[in-house]
Amino acid sequence: MRIAMYIFLLLAAGAACSCSTSGRLARRDAQALLSHTPRPLRAVAPPADTVRRIRTNTEFDLIPVEVTYENGEETYNIWLDAVTVVAPSRTVPERCGHIEIDFLVTLPRILQSNCRSIVLRPVLHREQERIPLEEISLRGTLFDRVQRRDYWQYVRYLERFRPDSVHAARGFRRFVRYPLPEGVRADSVTRAGQDISLRYVQRIPAAEAGRRLLVTLEGEIRGLDGSVYPLPPSDTLRYNISSMLFFADTTTRYVERIIEKHIRVSDRKRLAFRAGESCIVDTLENNEVQLSLIAQLMEKIFDRREYAVDSIILRAGASPEGPVRLNERLSRERAWNLQHRLAAWFPSLPLDTLIRTGGIGEDWETLAALIHQDDNIVHKQEIEMLIEQEQDPDLRETRIAACFPEEYAYMQRMLYPRLRAVHIDYRLHRTDMVQDTLVTTRPDSLYAEGVGLMQQRQYDAALGILAPYADINTAICLLSVNRNAQALELLLSLSDDDARVCYLRAIAYARQGKPTQSIQAFDAACALNEDLSYRAALDPELSELIKNR
């Protein structure tokens, strides 16, 4: 076993000496090549976020020949593969909130060796941001064997000595000279001998893509001799992003606004009163805070110069316990006491003439609403029916207390205090208006916000705003999140005279598997705007459909 290990190490050392990495490659300026995926390969779409190796045929084959007979003569038709033209830029469509970029990485034979490890790192450039994508790792057979030997020695060390974490880390650095790659897109062992082409597919959220993407390739080659050869900078691939935002309607939408001369401001505050009393006690429960809020609103209203106060209607309510006549008197007295409190706070204001007081009495309407909203009341429906049917307020409360004693006790404790409130209605008018109403138009800021979100490719958020408008921008958002049936239904309700609408119908029909209707809609769009005939090449739903019709 010891002799075999020595032989292995001698072979590895000899290979390393014969595989001087950085020097040979630097002299030849060897580099990996980056190119767009040819159209025939793009027709077979692999899953997103993958790497596929493109196999090359190194054997000689006979050229296929088709024999035909025309006018009695034998004719030979030779079929040749299409020539692939590599261009530095390409247009990619945005679909379903994502953009898929697809490119080839070619490793020439000169870069490969059994004693080398190659790490390729595609880099995505977006505006001022640089985003490294997942790496590709390719290792020669001898390099892989040396790595596995190092790990075998490290595992033997752990099993024999059982070190703590500190010594285990030191042992790893000692035994493992070439760690196995982690977090890579692809990792494989290859034999040198021919050029290797790898197809790299990456999906990117549309909201993060912008209008243009750039891709470059970085990497390094590491040899068993310890040398490292950084790959020279590759060509830059450019991806221009085509989206349905091309058809967006960015014109300003206006909304009508009706301005009334006379307006009303309502305020409701809960004040606590002792049972059977109408005087206001500041220190009782939360009265001090509530009174302060009433004063703040009144001061704010009188400070607005564009408004004039016509009148203030002040009413107070009461809870149902006790005789109805007593509660009516208490509610009027409570409103009157609050009026005097406000007049004392604002002596410069003519509140004595502006304020009109009144009593609500027992506020059964508010109580019924509170009961309906409260899930803690078990016999809610029965109590609501009793309130509606019994016309005598005193008898109504007596029956509730007798039939539903637990609910009545809960209502006294939790709901009745909320009925002892004051209602203040301010009646105002605009001082700069003569007519009773004025109709104006202003930009619809909510619609503009939705369009802005759409242009940022935040389609779900934009759809939450634009859905009620049901226009072409709504349809674009629906198509962009793959809600094609809804988009088509909306587009069919829009004008037939809009070329953009007809073109989007063609896309929606194609996604719904209706090629005949799609072509008809496309022809209608081109009849309205002939420039759209060139647009079809940018949309995968239509490009093949139009080409093969």
Side-chain angles (χ1 to χ4, degrees), residues 19-32 107-108 110-112 116-121 218-233:
C19 298
S20 178
T21 301
S22 59
R24 290 179 54 195
L25 296 180
R27 285 193 296 271
R28 299 189 180 190
D29 194 25
Q31 63 178 347
L107 285 174
I110 190 174
L111 292 178
Q112 305 171 48
R116 296 175 188 165
S117 169
I118 305 173
V119 175
L120 302 173
R121 188 180 309 106
E218 301 174 355
E220 60 271 349
I221 300 177
R222 190 178 300 273
L224 289 176
D225 60 350
S227 61
V228 178
Y229 173 68
L231 290 175

Side-chain angles (χ1 to χ4, degrees), residues 56-242:
T56 57
N57 188 7
T58 57
E59 300 179 358
F60 293 99
D61 291 331
L62 295 176
I63 298 176
V65 176
E66 179 181 341
V67 182
T68 60
Y69 296 90
E70 296 180 4
N71 300 325
E73 296 183 0
E74 191 175 67
T75 304
Y76 293 87
N77 297 322
I78 300 176
W79 299 94
L80 300 177
D81 289 338
V83 177
T84 301
V85 179
V86 178
S89 65
R90 179 180 145 214
T91 300
V92 292
E94 172 205 333
R95 289 298 180 266
C96 302
H98 292 87
I99 293 156
E100 214 168 77
I101 60 174
D102 188 345
F103 53 88
L104 293 183
V105 178
T106 302
L107 285 174
R109 183 171 52 186
I110 190 174
L111 292 178
Q112 305 171 48
S113 170
N114 289 333
C115 58
R116 296 175 188 165
S117 169
I118 305 173
V119 175
L120 302 173
R121 188 180 309 106
V123 179
L124 182 68
H125 303 267
R126 182 181 58 199
E127 295 180 355
Q128 303 299 322
E129 192 175 6
R130 180 181 181 278
I131 306 172
L133 302 180
E134 290 179 313
E135 297 176 344
I136 304 171
S137 173
L138 300 173
R139 290 169 285 135
T141 54
L142 181 57
F143 195 99
D144 177 66
R145 287 162 58 190
V146 171
Q147 281 184 310
R148 295 184 183 278
R149 176 70 184 186
D150 289 350
Y151 276 91
W152 175 81
Q153 289 179 323
Y154 176 63
V155 171
R156 289 288 304 273
Y157 165 74
L158 295 179
E159 292 174 349
R160 184 171 182 179
F161 296 101
R162 301 185 181 279
D164 57 21
S165 58
V166 176
H167 289 86
R170 292 177 181 172
F172 184 85
R173 291 192 296 270
R174 174 186 173 188
F175 291 105
V176 181
R177 294 167 296 169
Y178 308 106
L180 291 171
E182 297 180 356
V184 297
R185 175 71 61 88
D187 177 28
S188 64
V189 179
T190 62
R191 292 181 178 272
Q194 63 181 9
D195 293 354
I196 297 176
S197 291
L198 302 168
R199 184 182 180 186
Y200 199 107
V201 181
Q202 179 72 32
R203 177 175 289 181
I204 302 165
E208 303 175 4
R211 299 180 62 181
R212 176 180 295 180
L213 294 172
L214 305 178
V215 174
T216 58
L217 185 66
E218 301 174 355
E220 60 271 349
I221 300 177
R222 190 178 300 273
L224 289 176
D225 60 350
S227 61
V228 178
Y229 173 68
L231 290 175
S234 70
D235 292 334
T236 300
L237 299 184
R238 293 175 174 82
Y239 293 88
N240 300 313
I241 298 170
S242 166

Side-chain angles (χ1 to χ4, degrees), residues 340-496:
H340 281 268
R341 174 67 67 92
L342 294 174
W345 281 349
F346 301 98
S348 61
L349 300 178
L351 297 183
D352 290 339
T353 57
L354 289 175
I355 294 180
R356 290 182 293 169
T357 61
I360 299 175
E362 297 178 357
D363 195 354
W364 283 97
E365 182 179 352
T366 302
L367 178 60
L370 293 175
I371 292 173
H372 185 75
Q373 298 170 4
D374 198 322
D375 295 332
N376 294 316
I377 299 177
V378 179
H379 300 91
K380 181 189 303 185
Q381 295 182 350
E382 292 86 344
I383 295 175
E384 289 177 339
M385 187 177 300
L386 195 155
I387 292 174
E388 183 178 353
Q389 293 177 351
E390 181 57 61
Q391 301 300 316
D392 187 337
D394 289 335
L395 184 57
R396 184 187 302 157
E397 187 196 16
T398 302
R399 290 182 59 186
I400 293 174
C403 297
F404 311 102
E406 293 184 3
E407 281 86 350
Y408 179 73
Y410 173 81
M411 289 161 53
Q412 275 192 314
R413 186 174 69 257
M414 302 301 297
L415 304 185
Y416 277 20
R418 298 168 65 179
L419 304 178
R420 305 178 194 117
V422 292
H423 302 256
I424 307 174
D425 289 332
Y426 299 89
R427 307 295 174 88
L428 317 174
H429 73 269
R430 300 178 188 272
T431 57
D432 57 347
M433 284 185 60
V434 178
Q435 299 176 336
D436 288 341
T437 58
L438 178 65
V439 179
T440 63
T441 56
R442 59 181 177 86
D444 191 338
S445 59
L446 182 62
Y447 183 81
E449 180 184 353
V451 172
L453 290 170
M454 178 185 68
Q455 291 177 325
Q456 296 170 15
R457 294 182 168 89
Q458 300 181 32
Y459 298 113
D460 287 317
L463 196 57
I465 297 176
L466 298 178
Y469 294 90
D471 64 352
I472 190 170
N473 290 334
T474 311
I476 289 172
C477 291
L478 289 170
L479 287 171
S480 297
V481 296
N482 213 29
R483 292 164 61 175
N484 303 310
Q486 289 178 264
L488 181 58
E489 182 181 359
L490 173 56
L491 289 165
L492 291 174
S493 68
L494 301 180
S495 173
D496 296 334

